[in-house]
Amino acid sequence: MAWWPRLRPDDRNLRPHEAPGQCIAPAASRNAAGILAVLSDHLPESGRALELASGTGQHVTACAAQHPGITWQPSEIDESRLESVRQWVDASEQANLLAPLRLDATRAPYPGAPYDVILLVNLFHLVSEEECWAILTNSAAALADGGLLCFYGPFLRDGRFASAGDRAFHAHLQGIDPGVGYKDVRDLRNWLASRGFTVKECRDMPANNLMWVCRKAG
Ligand SMILES: C[S@@+](CC[C@H](N)C(=O)[O-])C[C@H]1O[C@@H](n2cnc3c(N)ncnc32)[C@H](O)[C@@H]1O
């Protein structure tokens, strides 16, 4: 498995925020409220959560504010994004938000396990099938029995794209790296089941995204 993600993150999508190195991703600003709404329907009152691929750090900061009984561990593979997460964590002054870890989500083991919740937003379409499998396997290993794997992003629906825009974005990604692209909900359901997950909810989200909440058996 490659150490570096197949698609390097595109910094053109980021905007500078208040502190040096602190960034905002407009997409994260748009989708955060919807993601938080799904999480609030499922997350426990207390416990430990790991966010994979935290990006700028906006989501995990908002999650820590919304779920103060949960201790949130951000993580990222990319050093410049890690710096943004550090700045969001410092600015938030929330005791339940930990300093971020440098972590390649395709590599096991995840430090600090077991977790009660693992959150992943907008990564599966940027990695290969094998890397997606590795993330699911690693997440299953890192979750406590009954823990929740929550993930969000764009997906194929039984072989169909949800829109022409999704078809074009998938083609764009495959033009950069033919190994990456949208994963199919049908495959995801099989991959999750084979790792002991039950899908509690797969909710339609704005802009044709899906938010999955999956429970590890136990
Ligand atoms: C589209 S961005 C999403 C960031 C954030 N989750 C959000 O929604 O704003 C994808 C992120 O995944 C990170 N990433 C890519 N491959 C990764 C890997 N193997 N392990 C951990 N993070 C990875 C990138 O550095 C980037 O920050």
Side-chain angles (χ1 to χ4, degrees):
M1 208 71 66
W3 155 252
W4 192 252
R6 300 176 72 105
L7 292 186
R8 290 188 74 108
D10 190 346
D11 288 344
R12 288 172 302 182
N13 297 330
L14 302 184
R15 306 277 175 275
H17 197 45
E18 288 161 2
Q22 186 182 22
C23 295
I24 283 190
S29 304
R30 283 193 299 274
N31 63 27
I35 291 169
L36 287 166
V38 178
L39 293 178
S40 70
D41 287 344
H42 292 277
L43 261 50
E45 279 293 311
S46 61
R48 303 175 65 245
L50 170 68
E51 189 189 35
L52 303 170
S54 292
T56 59
Q58 290 165 260
H59 287 139
V60 76
T61 304
C63 286
Q66 179 173 279
H67 297 276
I70 297 179
T71 300
W72 291 83
Q73 174 63 72
S75 70
E76 237 298 324
I77 193 172
D78 177 68
E79 184 50 47
S80 71
R81 297 203 180 206
L82 266 179
E83 182 53 27
S84 178
V85 183
R86 283 185 203 107
Q87 296 299 335
W88 276 96
V89 170
D90 287 352
S92 83
E93 296 180 345
Q94 292 168 138
N96 63 325
L97 183 54
L98 304 178
L101 300 172
R102 184 161 196 193
L103 179 63
D104 178 349
T106 67
R107 297 226 165 175
Y110 292 167
Y115 290 96
D116 304 292
V117 177
I118 293 180
L119 174 65
L120 175 61
V121 178
N122 274 331
L123 182 60
F124 282 150
H125 59 296
L126 303 178
V127 299
S128 67
E129 246 179 45
E130 291 78 5
E131 288 167 327
C132 181
W133 298 338
I135 293 168
L136 295 176
T137 302
N138 298 345
S139 296
L143 280 168
D145 288 351
L148 299 178
L149 172 62
C150 309
F151 56 94
Y152 169 101
F155 296 90
L156 272 167
R157 321 289 166 94
D158 296 332
R160 296 211 176 93
F161 289 98
S163 72
D166 284 287
R167 181 189 297 279
F169 186 39
H170 171 80
H172 166 74
L173 295 173
Q174 291 211 317
I176 301 169
D177 181 340
V180 308
Y182 283 30
K183 309 298 176 287
D184 198 302
V185 292
R186 192 171 37 199
D187 294 329
L188 243 320
R189 286 184 185 278
N190 289 332
W191 301 340
L192 286 160
S194 69
R195 288 160 180 85
F197 286 106
T198 304
V199 178
K200 288 184 74 188
E201 183 171 8
C202 180
R203 193 181 296 183
D204 282 311
M205 304 292 282
N208 301 316
N209 291 291
L210 295 175
M211 176 96 188
W212 300 66
V213 178
C214 311
R215 185 176 183 277
K216 179 181 165 179

